[in-house]
Amino acid sequence: MSNEQNEQIVLASRPEGMPNEENFRYETVETNRPDEGQVLLKTLYLSVDPYMRGRMSDAKSYVAPFQIDEPLNGTVVAEVIESRSEQLEVGDKVTGFLEWKKFNVADGHTVRKIDDKIAPISAYLSVLGLTGLTAYFGLYDIGEPKEGETVVVSGAAGAVGTIAGQLAKLKGCRVVGIAGSDDKIDYIVNELGFDAGLNYKKSDNLQKELEEACPNGVDVYFDNVGGEISDAVMNLLNTHARIPLCGAISSYNRTDGDLGPRVQTKLIKTRAKIQGFVLNDYQDRFQEGTEFLAQYVQNDQLKYEETIVEGFESVTDAFFGLFQGTNLGKQLVKVADPS
Amino acid sequence: MSNEQNEQIVLASRPEGMPNEENFRYETVETNRPDEGQVLLKTLYLSVDPYMRGRMSDAKSYVAPFQIDEPLNGTVVAEVIESRSEQLEVGDKVTGFLEWKKFNVADGHTVRKIDDKIAPISAYLSVLGLTGLTAYFGLYDIGEPKEGETVVVSGAAGAVGTIAGQLAKLKGCRVVGIAGSDDKIDYIVNELGFDAGLNYKKSDNLQKELEEACPNGVDVYFDNVGGEISDAVMNLLNTHARIPLCGAISSYNRTDGDLGPRVQTKLIKTRAKIQGFVLNDYQDRFQEGTEFLAQYVQNDQLKYEETIVEGFESVTDAFFGLFQGTNLGKQLVKVADPS
């Protein structure tokens, strides 16, 4: 392994609007050696996520921006191929925040060993990873859905949306999903058990269709998208509605100021709450969340989908695809097979 | 008293945009007689409030709309001039939700006797009434200001804003008020002890002035106004900022759709919370709130201002004035002297 070449993806320039190939650069570099307490990790699966777009800008946000000419990073499932850490053995599978490289060197305590008996290892980047936990904390802690309430989920066929919708069903809610293709609607309604689904790309009156799908108004709106879709949902809020703001993917690449109807009057009339959140805020409760999700994954009450493309060279295309809505469930890249 | 003529103000038509004289009509009617359990009340002070504008429209809201050709209503301080209720005696001063009439008949249990030893009776329509309680619950329950934090109050010289700002000072916060005249700024800074004040009508760069007034960002934004002022404050939110939405007076008379920058991305980046509220939601805690406020009024740590115009015929002009920002503190109308 010692002299094997490594590959990495760096941020070549900050995107203006929609990211494209010129913003990234694939590079061949030397593989680092693990020091005492460290491990050498082979990347097996790598996660691409919409929130990364925010880190590509140089703006103040909840995570530091990526640096130009530096490797990007995100959550990865990897295999220990050399260990100088007492906590990990060669062959162990781990997950953690690692650079977009074929091989990473990391301190043993910064990655978490995963159990491939509960679920396939890729699941630790989807339903049992950041996206599942995001749905769990956002929906249950901020949304607080109660039996019989109506829950609307935008980005409903995405990695977080599919889990959020199913978690709302587990609470006995009416769940309406908004997504961007008939296939996605078919999936969330017929595979995941959502009560209704709206294809916003085919709708010529989303407001009216939403009203029909939510005859009792909206109590919880799990918002992944922002923009015009959220404008429409905001008109249907019930008294004391709760809106966990998980993402605003429709806004991330906008350069026009993202103008829409102001929300203040609607929120006063309904005494509703909009609250942004990020998963980092719940770090001390990850174990609780993972255990909750794992039990429903194991008894098949929580289904999840992964869109997996193969090859390290596909990472940037997979990332671009997030903004075209090509993925169903969690978008992953399979970089290598386990040894 | 029995045959004395009464006067009332009815809603003649629903305002489009800014309300004007054509939307109201003064009428002379017979004074009703109290039945068993009822009292006849002489209106002493009457409160005009921005929230009433919402009730003049025929839209779904947290209180039922006013009806065309029916008297308007709101909070009133009145004197019992005839009593068939065991709870009240002639001469008692009461407050309650009553019609815009010189004389009202009400069930004895629907009005609350007030104590004129704690404060002048008009205070029960201001600092010890709906506006004081609104500031108390909105700021403390939703805003949760902590020592050393920065609290921005819009509509800062208004009835609610003046109390909200002082309550934030009581918690040891840096308090920045936004208002629409130099006199108002002078009042909130030099009389009430706000740390800084911005006259948005004289500012040619409110964003920049706000940044200078809030060098550590904004932790709590007590929002009375909505619109462009709130857009500017939203750009300065700190992580986990809280925004109690008390009013959106800048939007109430707009007919243009009230477009502005969408808030979703900002709220996600800061994990901030915006929450609408109305005082009704806290009805079972009014006693707690009134007692809290009264103690600070009595020891002069909570100052309040009332703009009082005289005469029942001034009610509609006083209401119009709310939207021109002519009032300092609570706008009241003195209808009659106590007997």
Side-chain angles (χ1 to χ4, degrees):
Chain A
M1 199 37 242
S2 57
N3 292 316
E4 193 166 334
Q5 297 232 298
N6 200 354
E7 289 179 43
Q8 67 181 19
I9 305 169
V10 303
L11 186 66
S13 60
R14 301 203 181 278
E16 311 254 332
M18 196 68 79
N20 63 50
E21 288 174 14
E22 293 181 4
N23 304 125
F24 301 94
R25 191 171 62 243
Y26 287 77
E27 295 180 342
T28 302
V29 292
E30 287 289 294
T31 304
N32 291 337
R33 311 297 321 154
D35 284 333
E36 189 57 39
Q38 293 189 317
V39 286
L40 179 62
L41 298 168
K42 179 170 77 169
T43 300
L44 304 180
Y45 289 93
L46 178 156
S47 173
V48 291
D49 297 275
Y51 79 87
M52 294 168 171
R53 173 64 183 83
R55 299 190 63 193
M56 293 170 190
S57 298
D58 198 11
K60 179 185 169 189
S61 186
Y62 55 89
V63 277
F66 292 122
Q67 296 303 310
I68 300 286
D69 294 333
E70 293 289 322
L72 295 109
N73 59 53
T75 46
V76 163
V77 163
E79 180 179 2
V80 178
I81 57 172
E82 187 178 337
S83 177
R84 297 184 65 187
S85 160
E86 289 179 4
Q87 291 150 315
L88 294 166
E89 292 176 17
V90 171
D92 282 349
K93 311 296 185 299
V94 299
T95 183
F97 232 75
L98 296 168
E99 292 185 332
W100 282 10
K101 293 178 170 179
K102 284 190 167 182
F103 300 95
N104 274 279
V105 169
D107 289 344
H109 64 87
T110 63
V111 294
R112 188 164 55 94
K113 191 173 162 179
I114 61 180
D115 180 356
D116 58 9
K117 290 178 198 69
I118 292 176
I121 56 173
S122 62
Y124 287 89
L125 296 180
S126 61
V127 65
L128 301 180
L130 299 191
T131 49
L133 291 169
T134 296
Y136 174 80
F137 290 112
L139 185 74
Y140 284 171
D141 263 56
I142 299 174
E144 298 183 86
K146 292 169 198 67
E147 189 173 350
E149 289 190 328
T150 297
V151 176
V152 172
V153 180
S154 60
V160 176
T162 50
I163 308 300
Q166 291 178 88
L167 292 177
K169 285 305 297 175
L170 288 176
K171 290 283 182 189
C173 298
R174 173 175 176 80
V175 181
V176 176
I178 305 172
S181 80
D182 288 345
D183 283 351
K184 289 178 176 181
I185 298 300
D186 178 64
Y187 173 68
I188 62 174
V189 172
N190 297 317
E191 296 291 320
L192 302 186
F194 282 42
D195 296 284
L198 300 179
N199 177 355
Y200 72 91
K201 286 190 182 166
K202 272 177 85 171
S203 172
D204 36 50
N205 192 339
L206 183 67
Q207 187 70 64
K208 185 160 162 285
E209 288 182 27
L210 258 174
E211 279 177 38
E212 287 165 3
C214 305
N216 299 318
V218 175
D219 300 291
V220 179
Y221 173 40
F222 192 100
D223 188 4
N224 285 301
V225 304
E228 288 83 1
I229 290 173
S230 296
D231 297 342
V233 180
M234 294 297 291
N235 291 324
L236 300 177
L237 298 183
N238 286 334
T239 300
H240 291 136
R242 290 83 66 197
I243 304 176
L245 276 182
C246 177
I249 195 167
S250 76
S251 302
Y252 295 166
N253 299 313
R254 290 177 86 136
T255 53
D256 62 358
D258 194 20
L259 291 187
R262 290 197 181 88
V263 295
Q264 282 87 349
T265 306
K266 288 167 196 164
L267 293 177
I268 293 171
K269 284 184 180 167
T270 56
R271 301 98 105 186
K273 173 179 81 169
I274 308 189
Q275 187 165 353
F277 72 99
V278 296
L279 191 54
N280 289 352
D281 293 342
Y282 295 94
Q283 236 158 0
D284 55 349
R285 291 175 56 196
F286 278 12
Q287 191 63 26
E288 164 205 327
T290 308
E291 282 172 15
F292 181 94
L293 295 163
Q295 97 199 350
Y296 287 101
V297 167
Q298 282 184 289
N299 71 15
D300 214 28
Q301 280 190 274
L302 199 53
K303 294 174 185 169
Y304 63 99
E305 197 79 23
E306 295 163 347
T307 298
I308 301 180
V309 296
E310 304 238 348
F312 190 69
E313 67 283 0
S314 305
V315 169
T316 46
D317 281 343
F319 177 69
F320 302 148
L322 295 173
F323 302 102
Q324 275 107 44
T326 54
N327 57 308
L328 180 66
K330 183 75 189 81
Q331 179 68 57
L332 299 176
V333 181
K334 181 175 177 180
V335 176
D337 283 309
S339 302
Chain B
M1 198 38 242
S2 58
N3 292 316
E4 193 165 335
Q5 295 232 298
N6 200 354
E7 288 180 43
Q8 65 181 19
I9 305 169
V10 302
L11 185 68
S13 59
R14 300 199 181 281
E16 312 253 333
M18 197 68 79
N20 63 51
E21 287 172 15
E22 293 181 5
N23 303 127
F24 303 93
R25 191 171 61 244
Y26 286 77
E27 295 180 341
T28 302
V29 292
E30 287 289 295
T31 304
N32 291 335
R33 311 295 322 152
D35 284 334
E36 189 56 39
Q38 294 188 318
V39 286
L40 180 61
L41 299 168
K42 179 170 78 165
T43 300
L44 304 180
Y45 288 94
L46 179 156
S47 172
V48 292
D49 297 275
Y51 80 87
M52 294 169 170
R53 173 63 182 84
R55 299 190 64 192
M56 292 170 190
S57 300
D58 198 12
K60 179 184 168 188
S61 186
Y62 55 89
V63 278
F66 293 121
Q67 296 303 310
I68 300 284
D69 293 333
E70 294 289 322
L72 295 110
N73 60 54
T75 46
V76 164
V77 164
E79 179 179 2
V80 178
I81 56 171
E82 186 178 338
S83 178
R84 298 185 63 189
S85 161
E86 290 179 3
Q87 292 150 314
L88 295 166
E89 292 175 19
V90 170
D92 282 349
K93 311 296 184 299
V94 300
T95 182
F97 232 75
L98 297 168
E99 292 184 333
W100 283 9
K101 293 179 171 179
K102 284 190 167 182
F103 299 95
N104 274 278
V105 169
D107 289 343
H109 63 87
T110 61
V111 295
R112 189 164 55 94
K113 192 173 162 180
I114 59 179
D115 180 355
D116 58 8
K117 289 179 199 69
I118 293 177
I121 57 173
S122 61
Y124 287 88
L125 296 180
S126 61
V127 64
L128 300 180
L130 300 190
T131 49
L133 291 169
T134 297
Y136 174 80
F137 290 112
L139 185 74
Y140 284 171
D141 262 56
I142 299 175
E144 297 181 87
K146 291 168 198 70
E147 189 174 348
E149 288 190 329
T150 298
V151 176
V152 172
V153 180
S154 61
V160 177
T162 49
I163 307 301
Q166 291 178 89
L167 292 177
K169 286 304 298 176
L170 288 176
K171 290 284 182 188
C173 299
R174 174 176 176 79
V175 180
V176 176
I178 306 172
S181 80
D182 288 344
D183 283 351
K184 291 179 176 183
I185 298 301
D186 178 63
Y187 173 68
I188 61 174
V189 172
N190 297 317
E191 295 292 319
L192 302 185
F194 284 41
D195 297 283
L198 301 180
N199 177 354
Y200 72 91
K201 286 189 181 165
K202 272 178 85 171
S203 172
D204 36 49
N205 192 339
L206 184 65
Q207 187 70 63
K208 185 161 162 285
E209 288 182 26
L210 258 174
E211 280 176 36
E212 287 165 3
C214 306
N216 299 317
V218 175
D219 299 293
V220 179
Y221 173 40
F222 193 99
D223 188 5
N224 285 301
V225 303
E228 288 82 1
I229 290 173
S230 296
D231 298 342
V233 181
M234 295 296 291
N235 291 324
L236 300 178
L237 298 183
N238 287 333
T239 300
H240 290 138
R242 290 84 65 198
I243 305 175
L245 276 183
C246 177
I249 196 166
S250 77
S251 301
Y252 294 166
N253 299 314
R254 290 177 86 135
T255 53
D256 62 357
D258 194 18
L259 292 186
R262 290 197 181 87
V263 296
Q264 282 86 351
T265 305
K266 288 165 196 164
L267 293 177
I268 293 172
K269 283 185 180 166
T270 55
R271 299 100 104 185
K273 173 178 80 169
I274 306 189
Q275 187 164 353
F277 73 99
V278 295
L279 191 56
N280 289 351
D281 293 342
Y282 295 93
Q283 236 158 1
D284 55 350
R285 292 174 55 197
F286 278 13
Q287 192 61 27
E288 164 204 328
T290 308
E291 283 171 15
F292 181 94
L293 295 163
Q295 97 197 351
Y296 288 99
V297 168
Q298 284 184 285
N299 71 14
D300 213 30
Q301 280 191 273
L302 199 53
K303 295 176 183 165
Y304 62 100
E305 197 78 21
E306 295 164 347
T307 298
I308 300 180
V309 297
E310 303 238 349
F312 190 68
E313 68 284 1
S314 305
V315 170
T316 45
D317 281 343
F319 178 70
F320 303 147
L322 295 174
F323 303 102
Q324 274 108 46
T326 53
N327 57 307
L328 180 67
K330 184 73 190 81
Q331 178 68 58
L332 300 176
V333 181
K334 181 176 177 180
V335 176
D337 283 310
S339 301

